[in-house]
């Protein structure tokens, strides 16, 4: 059996005729080139926006055929379009394209990343974007709902945490409590290494430092930091909030504590971390603290935060 493989790359002006054709063939909200022209969206206007850097996009190819694409607007922070041919739905192409555009908008420093979509719960877009971490704002534009992925203001929202969170070293007295920490079942595919696995690996990696996240003397999370012995880069290697304590502001409080820890290291000029491309909740959290994508593989997005010195 021959399995088709897909590849993702940036769109180029020469791709535009194929992209307009795909836009007219989607299962929902198909728009043909004539209608788009009435909105001022033409191959010529799209090429101009692409060439001046305002709009960038990515496409997916399979067997030399373009099967989907997505693009965003740097100036407005809007996710402009995500389109996949019906026969190629259900293969994760939409999520991969969405991640590419969102990562680019974050790297551009957009204070708000948003889109409009059909607000009917029976539509595919309704569940898809919510599953990917987008949240409705209550706004409507021409009958479509506005969904938001990230805003700078969300970084300033007060945490639900009422007691101080502190970092404690993992030692022989608390390592078993740390090992019992776990993410939700749905998140386990995004965290392939358990807390116990990190504890075990640290026995062979002297550069690793293990941290428990403690609130009122109770461990509610776990983190691993380290310094690469070859290049001296400082890494946040793992960050876990125990499932029963998620959604209570501990993720933000834990990141704040970790950033304070890194800032206290005089040799630390920037912080690196990695997350799975499909882990959009983590991407949104890290972006709210100023992390920007640095490089990417199909398995991981590496992000960096430059520390002021």
């Amino acid at each position: 059996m021959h399995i088709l493989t897909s590849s993702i790359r940036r769109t180029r002006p020469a791709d535009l005729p194929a992209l307009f054709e795909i836009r007219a063939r989607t299962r929902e909200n198909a728009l043909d080139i004539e209608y788009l022209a009435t909105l001022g969206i033409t191959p010529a206007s799209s090429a101009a926006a692409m060439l001046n850097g305002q709009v960038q996009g990515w496409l997916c190819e399979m067997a030399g055929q373009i099967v989907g694409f997505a693009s965003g607007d740097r100036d407005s922070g809007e996710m402009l379009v995500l389109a996949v041919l019906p026969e190629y739905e259900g293969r994760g192409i939409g999520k991969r394209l969405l991640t590419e555009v969102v990562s680019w908008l974050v790297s551009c420093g957009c204070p708000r990343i948003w889109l409009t979509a059909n607000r009917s719960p029976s539509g595919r877009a309704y569940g898809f974007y919510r599953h990917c971490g987008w949240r409705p704002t209550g706004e409507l534009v021409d009958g479509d709902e506005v969904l938001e992925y990230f805003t700078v203001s969300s970084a300033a929202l007060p945490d639900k945490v009422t007691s101080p969170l502190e970092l404690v070293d993992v030692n022989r007295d608390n390592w078993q409590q740390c090992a019992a920490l776990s993410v939700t079942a749905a998140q386990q595919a995004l965290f392939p290494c358990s807390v116990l696995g990190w504890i075990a690996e640290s026995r062979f990696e002297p550069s690793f430092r293990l941290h428990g996240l403690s609130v009122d003397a109770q461990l509610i999370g776990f983190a691993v930091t380290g310094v690469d012995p070859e290049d001296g880069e400082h890494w946040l290697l793992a960050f876990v909030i125990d499932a029963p304590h998620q959604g209570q502001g501990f993720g933000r409080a834990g990141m704040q504590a970790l950033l304070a820890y890194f800032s206290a290291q005089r040799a630390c000029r920037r912080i690196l971390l990695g997350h799975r491309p499909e882990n959009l909740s983590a991407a949104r959290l890290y972006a709210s603290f100023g992390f920007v994508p640095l490089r990417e593989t199909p398995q991981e997005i590496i992000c960096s935060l430059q520390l002021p010195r």
Side-chain angles (χ1 to χ4, degrees), residues 28-245:
E28 296 179 357
N29 197 31
L31 303 176
D32 61 30
I33 192 169
E34 289 80 12
Y35 177 78
L36 290 171
T38 67
L39 304 177
I41 304 171
T42 66
S45 67
S46 299
M50 190 183 300
L51 291 172
N52 71 23
Q54 177 185 346
V55 173
Q56 292 294 312
W58 280 258
L59 59 77
C60 178
E61 290 180 311
M62 299 186 73
Q65 178 190 1
I66 300 174
V67 300
F69 73 99
S71 64
D73 187 308
R74 176 196 62 198
D75 293 349
S76 66
E78 183 181 3
M79 177 79 191
L80 296 172
V81 60
L82 173 61
V84 178
L85 290 174
E87 59 267 34
Y88 291 93
E89 293 174 351
R91 306 189 189 197
I93 293 171
K95 284 186 179 180
R96 291 172 64 192
L97 293 169
L98 184 66
T99 299
E100 293 286 354
V101 177
V102 167
S103 297
W104 174 68
L105 291 172
V106 169
S107 72
C108 291
C110 295
R112 183 192 191 206
I113 299 175
W114 61 284
L115 57 78
T116 60
N118 187 334
R119 61 184 172 132
S120 170
S122 63
R124 294 174 62 86
Y126 186 92
F128 172 77
Y129 288 115
R130 284 166 171 78
H131 179 73
C132 291
W134 296 71
R135 294 293 177 263
T137 66
E139 305 167 76
L140 294 178
V141 175
D142 296 330
D144 287 338
E145 65 175 347
V146 176
L147 294 103
E148 201 171 71
Y149 180 72
F150 162 71
T151 60
V152 167
S153 59
S154 68
L157 291 175
D159 293 326
K160 299 178 184 176
V161 179
T162 57
S163 299
L165 182 149
E166 60 177 336
L167 299 183
V168 298
D169 287 333
V170 176
N171 53 41
R172 70 169 61 245
D173 296 322
N174 63 16
W175 75 266
Q176 289 179 310
Q177 297 174 54
C178 283
L181 302 174
S182 178
V183 295
T184 67
Q187 293 169 331
Q188 288 175 6
L190 305 177
F191 295 87
C193 187
S194 66
V195 172
L196 181 59
W198 281 107
I199 294 173
E201 187 175 355
S202 71
R203 306 302 299 171
F204 306 97
E205 293 288 350
S207 65
F208 285 8
R209 182 168 181 180
L210 308 184
H211 310 266
L213 279 59
S214 176
V215 175
D216 292 334
Q218 179 185 5
L219 288 174
I220 56 86
F222 173 81
V224 181
T225 61
V227 180
D228 191 314
E230 295 184 1
D231 58 21
E233 292 279 14
H234 291 249
W235 284 82
L236 174 57
L237 297 160
F239 180 55
V240 173
I241 300 297
D242 195 31
H245 300 285

Side-chain angles (χ1 to χ4, degrees), residues 99-100 103-104 106-107 198 228 231 233-238 270-279 282-283 286-287 290-306:
T99 299
E100 293 286 354
S103 297
W104 174 68
V106 169
S107 72
W198 281 107
D228 191 314
D231 58 21
E233 292 279 14
H234 291 249
W235 284 82
L236 174 57
L237 297 160
R270 71 172 179 175
I271 307 167
L272 300 177
L273 58 78
H275 65 81
R276 294 289 183 92
E278 61 270 26
N279 193 350
Y286 299 143
F291 283 87
V292 297
L294 184 64
R295 58 182 180 273
E296 182 175 351
T297 70
Q299 292 77 36
E300 188 175 35
I301 297 176
I302 304 298
C303 300
S304 70
L305 174 66
Q306 203 75 28

